[in-house]
Amino acid sequence: MGVTIIQQFPMKENRTGAQIIEFLTKRVNALGAKQCGTFLVDCETYASIPQLGAQRTLHVFHNSEQPASVFAILDNGTGKTVPVVADALFDLLLLKMSSVYTSKKSKVEIRGPRFELNDFVIKIGAININHNVKGIIVEAEYRPCVVFGLCWDMLREFLQGFLGSCVSNIPPHYFQNRMNDIFQPLDTIQQYLDHITIYRKATGILQQYNTNTT
Amino acid sequence: MELNPMQVALNTVRTLRLELMQLIIEIGEGVKDDGSQTESKDNRYMYSMNEMVGKLGLHMRDLEQVVGSLSSPPGAMLLYNTSFLTQESTSDRQALYTPLVSSHKWLDKVHKFSSNAVQILSQNSLKKSYYNSSSNKKKRQQSSLHNISPQAVDVLLTNIDRMFPEMSITITRPCASNVVLLVGLSRVLQAIISFKGVMIEWVIVKGFNEPINPNSLQQELWQESRYYVFRKITDHANAAMLHFSSPTLPDLSVRSFMTWLNSYLILFNSVCKSCGNRLLNAYPPTWRDLRSLDTYHYECKP
């Protein structure tokens, strides 16, 4: 597990998600990358029932890169989060807890092709919220390195190489206090959550894109 | 001809043993009946006995003198690796010690000749590589490369460990007295270095997050890294090891190699000196200039 950065790619008004993925696939192939299957990250959100007091939100993630694990992030509404990494049995536990945590029925899925280029892994995925394409997310992983601070500049150069100027020169907000920590799979999930939250908040604007494009 | 005092002492012991043997034989045979007068027979026997005992006493004094002039041997001789020959169980290999000693003698001769040759050749101005060493260092008595005490190697390696704060060195000896070194370089890479005496024999470079079992480093030596970048660095490291290798200054070659390896501390956040980019063909700058330790892509190296 190496350092992973997640970057969103802006939707163009006259293009569908599939077209953008195809466009980026061509660029990645031109770099010499080979496609190695597909990937899928899904997120389901649960809310605690009002009788429990202040509402807590529970985000449950699955990542095809770590197929045996379930990631759960509990948000108590005050900005404090509790992450849990568990076995796949956690899903069954959630069914038992359905009386306390009810599903919000807003499933988010990010799926698309997965590429390998030497030690880099590139994933280009369309983000689907309730089966509507909301945007394009690009994930780049550099497997030999485990500390974000050591390889951020290199990853930035790599992403800018095929995504262009949409990649910021400033490190992602999530990593500001974690520059010298050892990277863990949970860090990838946290980044996905940050991006999903942005897309959910900005639904109105993006909805316009989708009505034009799909 | 001046004989070695040890040789003289051994010769004296030999004569002494010979005389004593003759005396005992004489005694064993008793008085010989050779047909002459009976009274003089006993006398003659007594006379010859006297003479022999007198000679024995003389030689005994000689031996005491020679032994007195001998100096005591300088402590116990260390056999290092050859002492493991005693553990050999097959009978046809138990006689290996003598040929081993003679082959070591030959090696020492070759070593002496080659260092003389280096000295003569270094006066020649036609130099093709930038191998350079000052002549006063070369005059220093060289220890043999193949039989170095484990303590000396330990001292050298712990000194290197102290030179680089970011480098952690673990010394293991899985096979007899030869060192296999596990080097951790910050949170960038790990290297396994196999030594023969103080000469580096093999290097394997792996990622920080690749599992290495410190108890079976011998097996780990044969398993290359799962990442392309570290496989490339393994190749570079072996090339650098050969470049730095110097039979006349073995400890300097190890120190230079470790300095070179330490320059990989900035593997992931360095810029190529030649093209100014971080990535080329999806590789970071993996090549390090052997003298200046400048960072280059392998394709960009000067």
Side-chain angles (χ1 to χ4, degrees):
Chain A
M1 177 77 211
V3 175
T4 308
I5 290 187
I6 292 159
Q7 172 71 38
Q8 66 180 67
F9 189 74
M11 292 284 272
K12 301 267 164 48
E13 292 212 12
N14 49 359
R15 280 188 179 167
T16 63
Q19 277 173 332
I20 292 178
I21 287 181
E22 202 179 324
F23 166 71
L24 287 176
T25 302
K26 271 186 195 157
R27 281 194 183 176
V28 171
N29 279 333
L31 282 175
K34 290 197 176 69
Q35 186 169 348
C36 303
T38 55
F39 83 103
L40 167 70
V41 175
D42 65 57
C43 167
E44 199 145 358
T45 305
Y46 298 83
S48 64
I49 52 168
Q51 288 91 324
L52 276 178
Q55 199 189 40
R56 298 186 187 108
T57 324
L58 180 69
H59 305 280
V60 180
F61 280 88
H62 299 89
N63 188 349
S64 58
E65 203 75 7
Q66 284 91 24
S69 301
V70 177
F71 303 88
I73 296 169
L74 182 68
D75 189 348
N76 65 2
T78 57
K80 208 181 157 203
T81 58
V82 183
V84 172
V85 184
D87 280 353
L89 280 175
F90 191 81
D91 288 334
L92 301 177
L93 187 70
L94 274 175
L95 290 179
K96 296 271 182 198
M97 299 205 307
S98 56
S99 57
V100 187
Y101 281 103
T102 49
S103 173
K104 278 182 148 182
K105 306 277 181 218
S106 74
K107 199 173 166 83
V108 181
E109 274 189 348
I110 300 152
R111 60 166 81 231
R114 178 183 184 277
F115 301 89
E116 283 187 14
L117 173 59
N118 288 352
D119 295 323
F120 286 96
V121 178
I122 308 153
K123 294 172 190 166
I124 303 169
I127 170 161
N128 293 279
I129 300 180
N130 294 328
H131 306 290
N132 289 322
V133 178
K134 300 278 180 176
I136 298 295
I137 272 190
V138 178
E139 180 191 319
E141 177 184 350
Y142 188 61
R143 290 180 298 164
C145 189
V146 286
V147 182
F148 175 80
L150 289 179
C151 67
W152 151 247
D153 284 320
M154 197 170 81
L155 270 169
R156 176 177 55 85
E157 191 180 297
F158 180 70
L159 280 171
Q160 282 175 342
F162 67 95
L163 296 182
S165 56
C166 69
V167 183
S168 162
N169 282 336
I170 308 156
H173 175 72
Y174 175 73
F175 286 108
Q176 308 259 297
N177 302 321
R178 297 177 176 83
M179 289 299 257
N180 291 313
D181 292 356
I182 300 235
F183 198 90
Q184 287 168 335
L186 196 64
D187 294 327
T188 312
I189 297 300
Q190 294 268 19
Q191 287 186 76
Y192 271 116
L193 179 61
D194 288 352
H195 280 278
I196 288 170
T197 317
I198 292 170
Y199 275 110
R200 273 192 181 140
K201 279 181 186 161
T203 312
I205 310 156
L206 291 163
Q207 204 67 48
Q208 271 187 328
Y209 277 152
N210 287 318
T211 45
N212 290 335
T213 51
T214 49
Chain B
M1 193 176 100
E2 190 70 26
L3 268 178
N4 188 350
M6 178 61 89
Q7 198 71 45
V8 176
L10 285 175
N11 281 339
T12 324
V13 170
R14 206 173 296 139
T15 351
L16 202 62
R17 290 179 69 174
L18 207 71
E19 305 245 314
L20 190 67
M21 188 126 86
Q22 263 172 4
L23 179 71
I24 290 167
I25 289 171
E26 285 289 305
I27 294 171
E29 282 175 353
V31 182
K32 269 176 232 153
D33 190 10
D34 52 355
S36 53
Q37 298 98 322
T38 40
E39 63 276 355
S40 64
K41 211 194 319 180
D42 286 347
N43 281 347
R44 222 184 312 133
Y45 183 67
M46 289 294 285
Y47 177 73
S48 71
M49 283 286 126
N50 256 339
E51 205 180 21
M52 278 177 148
V53 171
K55 250 192 221 169
L56 266 181
L58 209 72
H59 281 128
M60 195 66 206
R61 218 174 306 128
D62 278 0
L63 181 67
E64 273 169 359
Q65 238 169 28
V66 172
V67 167
S69 72
L70 279 180
S71 57
S72 58
M77 267 260 284
L78 286 177
L79 290 174
Y80 304 123
N81 284 340
T82 52
S83 61
F84 294 106
L85 273 179
T86 53
Q87 289 163 7
E88 187 63 66
S89 54
T90 30
S91 56
D92 54 332
R93 289 203 192 144
Q94 277 170 353
L96 270 182
Y97 186 76
T98 334
L100 189 77
V101 168
S102 77
S103 73
H104 274 193
K105 271 185 192 160
W106 274 102
L107 265 177
D108 277 337
K109 273 185 204 165
V110 168
H111 187 241
K112 217 163 84 184
F113 279 133
S114 55
S115 52
N116 282 344
V118 165
Q119 220 163 3
I120 292 161
L121 286 174
S122 64
Q123 290 162 3
N124 192 343
S125 58
L126 261 177
K127 268 184 199 164
K128 287 191 176 158
S129 64
Y130 42 77
Y131 168 79
N132 192 13
S133 58
S134 55
S135 53
N136 58 351
K137 272 184 188 165
K138 229 177 277 169
K139 278 174 194 152
R140 195 177 56 188
Q141 184 59 45
Q142 291 302 330
S143 54
S144 62
L145 277 176
H146 43 82
N147 206 3
I148 281 183
S149 77
Q151 288 80 18
V153 182
D154 279 2
V155 167
L156 172 71
L157 293 176
T158 37
N159 279 341
I160 289 172
D161 195 7
R162 263 183 240 130
M163 270 165 71
F164 308 109
E166 297 281 354
M167 201 184 251
S168 69
I169 288 178
T170 321
I171 302 170
T172 57
R173 288 196 161 78
C175 31
S177 66
N178 288 326
V179 175
V180 177
L181 212 60
L182 178 62
V183 180
L185 189 61
S186 185
R187 283 185 287 186
V188 177
L189 57 82
Q190 306 179 85
I192 307 171
I193 305 173
S194 154
F195 281 82
K196 178 108 186 164
V198 276
M199 291 236 295
I200 301 176
E201 284 219 308
W202 195 248
V203 188
I204 282 274
V205 179
K206 291 188 181 195
F208 174 75
N209 55 342
E210 284 185 87
I212 289 181
N213 182 358
N215 298 321
S216 66
L217 286 181
Q218 272 170 298
Q219 277 88 49
E220 302 282 352
L221 261 179
W222 300 105
Q223 202 172 34
E224 55 179 9
S225 171
R226 63 169 92 121
Y227 302 121
Y228 290 93
V229 62
F230 291 118
R231 280 186 228 165
K232 209 163 191 172
I233 292 174
T234 301
D235 291 345
H236 297 341
N238 281 303
M241 175 265 283
L242 292 175
H243 170 86
F244 289 124
S245 165
S246 133
T248 48
L249 292 167
D251 46 345
L252 181 71
S253 79
V254 176
R255 217 169 296 137
S256 326
F257 177 77
M258 292 309 232
T259 315
W260 177 86
L261 189 68
N262 191 53
S263 69
Y264 279 104
L265 207 56
I266 48 161
L267 171 66
F268 298 123
N269 47 3
S270 57
V271 179
C272 172
K273 277 251 171 179
S274 170
C275 67
N277 289 329
R278 288 169 199 279
L279 285 166
L280 181 70
N281 300 334
Y283 280 110
T286 51
W287 178 261
R288 295 286 180 273
D289 188 84
L290 295 162
R291 232 180 345 170
S292 60
L293 302 179
D294 286 342
T295 54
Y296 291 100
H297 292 119
Y298 184 63
E299 290 82 355
C300 299
K301 76 182 171 84

